[in-house]
Amino acid sequence: MQMRNNGGDGFRLSVSSTHSCASGGSAGPDDIESLGDLYVWGEVWSDGLNPDGPVSLVPAKIDVLTPKPLESNVVLDVHQIACGARHVALVTKQGEVFTWGEESGGRLGHGIEKDFSRPQLVEVLALTTVEFVASGEYQTCAVSTAGDLFTWGDGTHNAGILGHGTDVSHWIPKRVSGALEGIQVLSIACGAWHSALATSDGKLFTFGDGTFGVLGHGDRESVKYPKLVQMLSGLKTIKVACGVWHTAAIVEVIGQAGVNVSSRKLFTWGDGDKHRLGHGSKETYLLPNCVSSLIDYNFHQLACGHTITVALTTSGHVFTMGGTAHGQLGNPNSDGKLPCLVQEKLVGEFVEEISCGAYHVAVLTSRSEVFTWGRGANGRLGHGDVEDRKTPTLVESLKDKHVKNISCGSNFTSSICIHKWVSGTDQSVCSGCRQAFGFTRKRHNCYNCGMVHCHACSSKKALKAALAPTPGKPHRVCDTCYAKLKAAEAGNASNPTRKVSGLNSSIDSRERSDKFEIRPSRLLLYPTAEPAKYFEIRSGKHEARSNSPSLVRGSQVPSLLQLKDVAFPSSFTAIQNVLKPVPSPSPPSPPPPPGSYSPINSRSSSPYSRRPSPPRSATPAFSKGVMESLRKSNELLNQEVSKLQKQVLVIYTLLLSEV
């Protein structure tokens, strides 16, 4: 699954947890459409009682010592999250932005001066599909799928912190123009007083407070608009991270002697206090400078804290540099003057992702395990206490969850985990056709009932799904829920004068569908049999009563994995009893052909047989066209039943021979 190069740091090759996972005994990975749940720990926000009265609730900070699910009024399908100093922003898979935490100068983007303990939709961005968000001390940034940059927050603290050229606050998101006009932004990072962004063509722009040369322009001047870092203009910037007074970037460079081989090197600049830049000194660097001690490594990701820089190589190794006060280097033997390799429990692990708070670090491995170390105040490490950790320590409470992403705030931590829909249910087979999941049969979640289905059983999308995070957009639902939602939608759209009759028709149609649906049998069928098939029963009268055809469902075939859990009949007579012939219904339905069997015991093969019979003197209710349609449908059903009988006989013969 991973490829490591012992002779040097090679290119990164692994199966990332961001794109795949396995749970519930499945033979293959889940699809990427599984819901992302959010877990938080450390100093987080919760509902608290207002001291002036118990009726209204106000957000209050509490210490959570182990990961807990985020309290939310809606089901959030989390795609990416960014933790700031005292607020959080997240993006859903639908491209919507939610924020919560402490409001200060508009950094939540809701246009009101109010703190929120639970995620609140940023309504101004509701019509914009957002791909990525970043949070700083006083500002929040978002990058749309079109590459546009939006910023909001408190702009009065430092010149140009929002990149709009003014020192005023913006309480709602505003698009950044100027130097970025016509340029596609790829990613952005926020520090306490400045921000840095990388474009699709590899250019690096910075803006905000320029103290200690943190912007990389060769001076200490502040910049109100995004400004190109000229030092790196001939190179390609891959990733960037911002600390309080320093910045780090991964830059792609070309090999010497004209060799067309690129490598990704670590560059740092700004305040060198606590040796956080990795250059072996505390000097201030006004321009980006390559970390020479790590020149032999290629880098994949990086993160910055208050006095620390963390870098992840393409081979899954973690290097740290900077302050040692709380053990945040993860290596008790290092003084922090030069980059050190984090080992201990990470030896043999392939690290997929890293994140850094003010004085603590969290990493995610390829085995979906989370390790944290550094300062433990407020329970930010997730180990159930407030003790510092000097070496990587496994977060035990996340062992049984599939962690997809991690993110650290100043004094709290969060993780996105694949959602486990229903506790105690079988997650290895489709809830509809009962076929086992595998590499070709992927999991899909129904946003209405919360069950897992294969693609064939959940290929439709519908509005107003019960678990939909965005009510106004269509979401994937299973076939059963789709029919129910469409029926409800049709009922709501009918005229008031026909409301009662439309409701009766809908109930009658649904009742017929439920009564004539063939349930999965516990009898074994041949493993190579086709999945459930559907037969449409149409007629002129039926189409007049309902726009959707009635569906009669064929037998559902269990997979090989289910064979051991199926009860076998004691004799061939038991099989015959299950498929016992049913007397044909009274006219006008024709009798079945000799030797044929009805697919359901004591159930009519015609949906019309349950309608009240007309008086004998009345005109016959069925025309010749209806009769012909029903006769053909009945013949198709009998042919399918005959095939199934033969399959039962084959498998039963095989079982007897084995016995």
Side-chain angles (χ1 to χ4, degrees):
M1 302 297 285
Q2 296 90 11
M3 181 178 292
R4 293 184 173 85
N5 189 348
N6 296 329
D9 194 69
F11 289 100
R12 187 177 185 82
L13 181 62
S14 71
V15 179
S16 173
S17 60
T18 304
H19 302 291
S20 66
C21 71
S23 62
S26 172
D30 287 311
D31 71 341
I32 60 176
E33 293 190 21
S34 297
L35 276 178
D37 285 339
L38 188 61
Y39 285 74
V40 294
W41 60 97
E43 188 179 51
V44 300
W45 294 267
S46 180
D47 293 333
L49 293 178
N50 190 335
D52 298 332
V55 177
S56 100
L57 299 175
V58 294
K61 287 185 178 180
I62 61 172
D63 288 345
V64 177
L65 304 184
T66 57
K68 301 293 182 184
L70 174 70
E71 296 179 357
S72 177
N73 297 325
V74 295
V75 178
L76 295 173
D77 192 358
V78 186
H79 169 67
Q80 185 254 332
I81 184 172
C83 299
R86 294 182 297 277
H87 76 292
V88 189
L90 66 81
V91 180
T92 66
K93 288 184 180 179
Q94 291 74 36
E96 295 180 322
V97 178
F98 289 78
T99 61
W100 71 99
E102 291 185 15
E103 175 61 81
S104 177
R107 63 185 169 192
L108 296 186
H110 303 309
I112 56 176
E113 190 172 0
K114 179 182 178 181
D115 299 342
F116 288 93
S117 62
R118 302 187 180 192
Q120 197 79 6
L121 176 67
V122 180
E123 296 180 356
V124 176
L125 294 176
L127 299 179
T128 303
T129 304
V130 175
E131 179 69 22
F132 185 85
V133 290
S135 300
E137 182 81 18
Y138 297 102
Q139 80 276 32
T140 310
C141 304
V143 178
S144 70
T145 53
D148 294 328
L149 174 64
F150 296 83
T151 64
W152 61 95
D154 193 347
T156 61
H157 290 274
N158 297 84
I161 191 173
L162 300 180
H164 299 303
T166 62
D167 295 338
V168 300
S169 298
H170 288 273
W171 290 73
I172 60 175
K174 180 181 179 181
R175 189 173 73 88
V176 178
S177 54
L180 297 182
E181 201 68 43
I183 296 178
Q184 186 176 14
V185 178
L186 189 63
S187 64
I188 187 168
C190 295
W193 313 107
H194 75 292
S195 299
L197 62 91
T199 63
S200 58
D201 57 356
K203 294 181 180 180
L204 179 66
F205 289 79
T206 58
F207 56 96
D209 194 325
T211 306
F212 299 107
V214 70
L215 300 183
H217 301 308
D219 53 37
R220 302 171 187 264
E221 300 296 324
S222 298
V223 177
K224 296 184 178 181
Y225 289 103
K227 181 179 179 181
L228 177 67
V229 178
Q230 294 290 343
M231 182 71 179
L232 300 176
S233 59
L235 304 174
K236 184 178 181 179
T237 301
I238 306 298
K239 296 284 181 65
V240 64
C242 299
V244 178
W245 295 119
H246 75 292
T247 310
I250 298 175
V251 181
E252 192 174 83
V253 299
I254 304 299
Q256 298 178 352
V259 180
N260 191 20
V261 178
S262 62
S263 56
R264 299 180 173 186
K265 304 306 176 186
L266 178 63
F267 284 71
T268 59
W269 62 96
D271 184 14
D273 188 35
K274 306 292 184 183
H275 304 280
R276 72 189 80 179
L277 301 183
H279 300 310
S281 68
K282 296 182 179 181
E283 296 181 9
T284 296
Y285 286 76
L286 303 181
L287 293 170
N289 201 296
C290 182
V291 180
S292 58
S293 59
L294 297 176
I295 195 67
D296 294 331
Y297 295 89
N298 293 317
F299 290 90
H300 170 69
Q301 194 180 10
L302 71 168
C304 295
H306 281 192
T307 61
I308 185 178
T309 302
V310 185
L312 174 63
T313 70
T314 54
S315 60
H317 299 98
V318 179
F319 284 91
T320 57
M321 58 209 82
T324 62
H326 302 282
Q328 62 262 40
L329 293 183
N331 189 335
N333 300 323
S334 175
D335 57 6
K337 294 181 179 180
L338 290 173
C340 64
L341 177 65
V342 181
Q343 294 181 306
E344 297 291 335
K345 292 185 179 180
L346 292 186
V347 174
E349 297 285 350
F350 188 91
V351 177
E352 292 276 359
E353 187 177 354
I354 60 174
S355 186
C356 190
Y359 300 101
H360 76 290
V361 181
V363 302
L364 174 63
T365 70
S366 60
R367 296 196 300 173
S368 188
E369 293 180 335
V370 177
F371 291 83
T372 59
W373 64 88
R375 188 173 184 180
N378 308 109
R380 69 190 73 179
L381 299 184
H383 304 308
D385 53 43
V386 295
E387 301 297 325
D388 294 349
R389 299 292 197 282
K390 295 184 178 181
T391 58
T393 306
L394 177 66
V395 180
E396 295 286 345
S397 58
L398 292 177
K399 285 182 64 176
D400 61 338
K401 296 176 176 60
H402 187 90
V403 183
K404 192 172 75 166
N405 295 109
I406 53 173
S407 179
C408 295
S410 294
N411 51 9
F412 61 98
T413 314
S414 67
S415 68
I416 302 175
C417 302
I418 294 297
H419 181 75
K420 292 184 178 180
W421 282 89
V422 182
S423 177
T425 61
D426 187 3
Q427 300 287 313
S428 63
V429 296
C430 172
S431 299
C433 65
R434 306 305 298 172
Q435 296 294 301
F437 294 116
F439 289 104
T440 58
R441 187 182 297 275
K442 306 297 184 182
R443 281 183 174 88
H444 295 269
N445 292 116
C446 174
Y447 278 82
N448 192 64
C449 64
M451 303 297 289
V452 290
H453 295 77
C454 65
H455 178 76
C457 295
S458 60
S459 59
K460 300 181 178 65
K461 292 185 178 181
L463 296 171
K464 299 182 179 180
L467 299 178
T470 311
K473 294 183 179 180
H475 293 79
R476 181 186 294 275
V477 295
C478 64
D479 292 343
T480 303
C481 291
Y482 179 81
K484 293 179 180 179
L485 292 173
K486 283 299 180 182
E489 183 180 343
N492 294 333
S494 62
N495 295 330
T497 57
R498 301 183 60 186
K499 184 174 182 181
V500 177
S501 62
L503 179 61
N504 294 335
S505 176
S506 176
I507 293 176
D508 184 51
S509 176
R510 182 172 65 254
E511 185 179 274
R512 290 199 307 271
S513 177
D514 292 341
K515 290 181 180 179
F516 289 93
E517 180 181 358
I518 300 180
R519 304 299 180 184
S521 172
R522 291 183 61 83
L523 287 176
L524 267 180
L525 301 181
Y526 193 66
T528 59
E530 292 293 329
K533 298 183 181 296
Y534 295 86
F535 304 95
E536 298 183 358
I537 301 178
R538 302 175 184 268
S539 69
K541 286 184 176 290
H542 188 203
E543 291 175 355
R545 295 191 58 182
S546 174
N547 293 328
S548 60
S550 175
L551 299 180
V552 177
R553 194 166 187 173
S555 178
Q556 298 172 332
V557 183
S559 67
L560 288 174
L561 296 178
Q562 298 173 271
L563 300 186
K564 61 182 180 180
D565 298 325
V566 179
F568 297 100
S570 58
S571 66
F572 181 67
T573 305
I575 301 179
Q576 291 179 321
N577 289 335
V578 174
L579 298 176
K580 185 178 180 180
V582 178
S584 59
S586 58
S589 297
S596 64
Y597 293 91
S598 175
I600 308 178
N601 189 18
S602 71
R603 295 189 181 185
S604 172
S605 61
S606 171
Y608 296 94
S609 62
R610 292 187 179 271
R611 297 177 58 185
S613 300
R616 293 181 181 272
S617 60
T619 305
F622 300 99
S623 64
K624 292 184 178 180
V626 175
M627 295 287 291
E628 185 64 23
S629 176
L630 291 176
R631 184 178 295 105
K632 291 181 179 180
S633 300
N634 192 41
E635 290 175 359
L636 289 175
L637 289 174
N638 288 330
Q639 291 174 7
E640 184 68 9
V641 171
S642 298
K643 293 179 182 179
L644 295 178
Q645 284 181 304
K646 294 178 181 179
Q647 293 169 0
V648 170
L649 293 176
V650 171
I651 193 63
Y652 187 73
T653 303
L654 293 175
L655 292 173
L656 290 179
S657 62
E658 291 179 359
V659 173

